[in-house]
Amino acid sequence: MTVISTDAASPAIDSTALRRCLGSFVTGVTVITALGEDGQAEGITANSFSSLSLDPPLIVWSLRLSSRSFNTYKNAARFAVNILAEDQVGISNRFASSGVDRFEGVAYTPGLGGVPLIKGCISYLECSLEASYPGGDHVLFVGRVERIHTNEGRPLAYGGGGYLTVQTLEA
Ligand SMILES: Cc1cc2nc3c(=O)[nH]c(=O)nc-3n(C[C@H](O)[C@H](O)[C@H](O)COP(=O)(O)O)c2cc1C
C-alpha cells in the first residue's frame, strides 16, 4: 500500500496519485444538459453527480472552472441530469469530447424549460439551479429536483479510469 499524506515534509498531494485514489470510488455516469445563452443544447459528461438532500430534494455536481461550458452552467436557470445506461458508452465519450457537435445524431426530447433529455437513459432528474459554491478548481452546482423519470435497465458505471458494468450480488 502506498501512503500519501500532507505533512510538513510533503505538503503537496501528487495529482496522479490523487486521481488514482479517487478513481477507486466507482460512480455512475451522467450527462448534464442545459441550454446555452443562445438557446442551444449543451451537455457534458460528469461523474461528480451525487444526491444531497431528500427534503428538500437537492442534488449536486461539480464542473471544472476551465471548462468551455462553464458560462453555460453558471448562467442556466435549469439543467437536467441524464443518468446513462450501460449501452451508452458512446454517449459518454461524445459528451466528454472537444471540437465536435456533441448533439449531432443524438436523439433527445425537450424537458422542462426546453432542456434536452437524451433518449435511452436510465433516469432523468430535471432541476432548477439552487446555488453554486466555489470548490478549488471546480464549482459545485446544487440543483433542486423538480421532475424525475426512472426507466428499467442497468446503469453504466465508471471506476479505475474506465467504464464498468454493474452486477447485483446475492445478499
Ligand atoms: C466519465 C467521465 C466523467 C467526467 N466527469 C466530469 C465532472 O464531473 N466534471 C467535469 O468538469 N468534467 C468531467 N469530465 C470531463 C468532461 O466531460 C469533458 O471531457 C471536459 O470538460 C471537456 O472539456 P470542456 O468542458 O472544456 O469541453 C468527465 C469525463 C468523463 C469521461
Side-chain angles (χ1 to χ4, degrees):
M1 184 171 77
T2 312
V3 179
I4 299 168
S5 65
T6 49
D7 55 28
S10 58
I13 289 274
D14 174 72
S15 65
T16 306
L18 179 59
R19 267 172 197 268
R20 191 160 162 264
C21 182
L22 293 173
S24 66
F25 184 66
V26 173
T27 69
V29 183
T30 76
V31 172
I32 311 288
T33 49
L35 295 182
E37 278 167 53
D38 299 330
Q40 77 279 16
E42 301 244 6
I44 187 167
T45 302
N47 70 341
S48 55
F49 164 76
S50 182
S51 57
L52 179 60
S53 165
L54 285 176
D55 185 16
L58 301 174
I59 59 88
V60 64
W61 72 286
S62 66
L63 177 67
R64 219 163 32 100
L65 292 176
S66 58
S67 169
R68 277 166 301 150
S69 309
F70 181 76
N71 282 334
T72 292
Y73 293 98
K74 185 169 75 88
N75 296 325
R78 51 179 62 254
F79 63 84
V81 182
N82 299 255
I83 299 181
L84 299 191
E86 69 176 5
D87 63 356
Q88 290 182 307
V89 170
I91 294 282
S92 176
N93 287 333
R94 167 74 76 94
F95 284 88
S97 301
S98 303
V100 297
D101 174 358
R102 292 177 176 173
F103 277 94
E104 194 191 332
V106 174
Y108 63 93
T109 54
L112 294 175
V115 174
L117 303 178
I118 296 169
K119 289 217 168 140
C121 292
I122 286 284
S123 305
Y124 305 88
L125 298 105
E126 297 181 78
C127 304
S128 55
L129 182 64
E130 178 84 358
S132 58
Y133 301 98
D137 58 7
H138 281 59
V139 62
L140 285 161
F141 290 118
V142 174
R144 179 176 284 257
V145 181
E146 297 193 333
R147 193 164 73 177
I148 57 173
H149 319 253
T150 310
N151 299 320
E152 292 296 316
R154 293 206 298 204
L156 181 63
Y158 193 80
Y163 295 105
L164 307 167
T165 56
V166 297
Q167 189 185 349
T168 306
L169 299 175
E170 295 295 320

